[in-house]
Amino acid sequence: MSRRAFIRWLLAIGAALVGLSAFFSQKVKNKFMQANQPAVSSIKPEPAQPVAQTTTEPLPTGPLMSYFILSDLHVSVGDPSTGKKLRQALDDIKQFDGPVDAIMLTGDLTDTGTERDYKELRTIVSEYKLPPVHANMGNHDYYTIWINKANSWDQAAVPNGKSDQMSREQFKKFFGYSQVYNDFTTKGHSILLLSQEAYVQEKPEVGEGAWYSDEQLAWFKERVQSLYQPGRPLFVMTHQPLPPNGADGGSHQLIRAIKFREILKPYKNVFVFCGHRHQDFQNGTPHYVQETFHFFHNASVGRTLNRAYQQEAKMKTQGIYVQVFADKVVVRGREFSNRTFLDEANWSIDLQKAQV
């Protein structure tokens, strides 16, 4: 073998040994790595569960909804002071330093229910740009049967060619309603307005009381169930007040009171407002009663009375301002004649939270 051939043979042998060494080195490396890697499980991991996060976000500080309740306007052509007082109330509301999402008129809108008194009411209201206005009927809104063609009180000639049906139709026409009881919702909060459905021309036994039909009470039950939202307030407007708990009422009261209370009993955070008593917020008469619901007696815009039901403070004209917050409802008495809130009528009611 020549020297050159011998050198080529040595190089070939070296290259083969290097390759073989690399091959065994890779095999050892793979074996080592496999031995040190964790075994791959055949069990699929559980999906990650959401973690409940606590929030420190504060409740809204401003009112969610606010409205005024004006009771017993008694607007009358024969008593100009009633129109003057309604204008005082509406002037205050128009310039009020706070939100007003609606106005509720809870009965005795006029003094006699006659066409001329409704015309006077329309004249006054049309002078103002107001938020939505809703109403129910009081006993005086049926009084047209006492009034003769000369617009004088004529008890001997009752019903003076009139009827309770005519009074209902006049009220519905004024507000554009299809029935005398209605509900209104704004900003997610609802108000139900119940109305006296008959007076002494049709039902002499009711006197000055509020009689509700089976149909109205069935409607009321369905609407409460439909509109109620746990944790939020629900508002109900009547005209006549309730009798003592456990009894039905008579003249000057809500007559079918046992059924009324039964409908509301399952629900929390219900607020009921009535008028009819005219009682001054500042005469010491209780205006708030807590039952299974919160029950408030409003004063009067047209004729505020003292404890003896006398119109002693002839200049007073009062109503209620309601504010709904996330965790409470604030109810405040308002004196419209001097545009002030009354310390004697200031309630803050905490809302019961919805059960999760």
Side-chain angles (χ1 to χ4, degrees), residues 184-294:
F184 171 72
T185 297
T186 182
K187 295 187 174 180
H189 295 84
S190 297
I191 303 169
L192 294 96
L193 299 106
L194 303 184
S195 266
Q196 177 175 341
E197 285 185 87
Y199 188 51
V200 297
Q201 186 266 333
E202 292 177 343
K203 291 184 175 295
E205 68 273 18
V206 307
E208 303 299 318
W211 180 81
Y212 302 157
S213 67
D214 289 341
E215 290 77 14
Q216 179 169 188
L217 290 173
W219 171 89
F220 181 46
K221 182 176 182 179
E222 184 280 325
R223 295 310 290 155
V224 170
Q225 185 177 22
S226 176
L227 295 171
Y228 177 76
Q229 299 180 65
R232 288 193 181 187
L234 182 67
F235 301 99
V236 180
M237 306 289 144
T238 71
H239 177 66
Q240 283 89 335
L242 287 159
N245 204 342
D248 275 333
S251 188
H252 297 285
Q253 296 173 330
L254 196 159
I255 294 172
R256 302 183 69 182
I258 293 176
K259 183 65 174 178
F260 177 89
R261 285 183 164 107
E262 178 186 297
I263 290 170
L264 293 181
K265 188 175 181 179
Y267 303 96
K268 300 176 181 178
N269 301 321
V270 175
F271 292 74
V272 178
F273 295 87
C274 76
H276 191 71
R277 295 197 318 169
H278 294 229
Q279 294 282 281
D280 182 354
F281 283 125
Q282 296 171 298
N283 67 19
T285 304
H287 283 76
Y288 168 55
V289 178
Q290 184 173 359
E291 298 190 22
T292 61
F293 49 84
H294 305 282

Side-chain angles (χ1 to χ4, degrees), residues 169-189:
E169 292 302 320
Q170 189 160 241
F171 170 80
K172 290 190 294 182
K173 181 180 178 181
F174 187 91
F175 288 97
Y177 293 153
S178 61
Q179 58 190 21
V180 295
Y181 44 92
N182 296 276
D183 61 78
F184 171 72
T185 297
T186 182
K187 295 187 174 180
H189 295 84

Side-chain angles (χ1 to χ4, degrees), residues 15 56 61 93 106 134 206 273 284 286 296:
T56 57
T61 55
I93 292 171
T106 59
H134 289 275
V206 307
F273 295 87
F296 291 88

Side-chain angles (χ1 to χ4, degrees), residues 20-194:
L20 187 60
S21 175
F23 171 78
F24 281 107
S25 176
Q26 186 64 39
K27 292 286 286 184
V28 171
K29 182 179 179 182
N30 289 343
K31 183 70 174 177
F32 177 82
M33 290 181 68
Q34 289 175 5
N36 285 276
Q37 286 180 348
V40 178
S41 173
S42 61
I43 301 174
K44 294 183 178 180
E46 291 289 334
Q49 297 297 319
V51 178
Q53 299 291 327
T54 58
T55 178
T56 57
E57 183 179 349
L59 291 170
T61 55
L64 305 176
M65 192 267 279
S66 305
Y67 65 99
F68 272 100
I69 306 173
L70 309 184
S71 299
D72 299 280
L73 314 180
H74 287 273
V75 170
S76 171
V77 173
D79 183 0
S81 69
T82 58
K84 176 184 177 182
K85 289 182 176 182
L86 178 56
R87 285 187 172 92
Q88 284 181 324
L90 297 180
D91 283 340
D92 185 15
I93 292 171
K94 182 180 177 181
Q95 301 179 46
F96 188 69
D97 185 20
V100 182
D101 298 306
I103 299 173
M104 300 294 121
L105 309 179
T106 59
D108 285 4
L109 315 176
T110 65
D111 201 39
T112 65
T114 57
E115 185 177 347
R116 71 171 190 165
D117 281 354
Y118 268 106
K119 184 178 179 180
E120 179 70 4
L121 176 61
R122 185 180 298 280
T123 296
I124 295 171
V125 171
S126 65
E127 295 172 3
Y128 299 85
K129 185 177 181 180
L130 299 171
V133 178
H134 289 275
N136 57 13
M137 293 186 76
N139 51 313
H140 273 256
D141 299 313
Y142 284 94
Y143 269 28
T144 186
I145 64 169
W146 302 103
I147 308 300
N148 62 24
K149 292 182 180 179
N151 286 308
S152 298
W153 188 273
D154 193 348
Q155 186 172 347
V158 170
N160 285 290
K162 318 286 183 56
S163 70
D164 293 350
Q165 177 65 24
M166 289 173 62
S167 294
R168 290 191 293 272
E169 292 302 320
Q170 189 160 241
F171 170 80
K172 290 190 294 182
K173 181 180 178 181
F174 187 91
F175 288 97
Y177 293 153
S178 61
Q179 58 190 21
V180 295
Y181 44 92
N182 296 276
D183 61 78
F184 171 72
T185 297
T186 182
K187 295 187 174 180
H189 295 84
S190 297
I191 303 169
L192 294 96
L193 299 106
L194 303 184

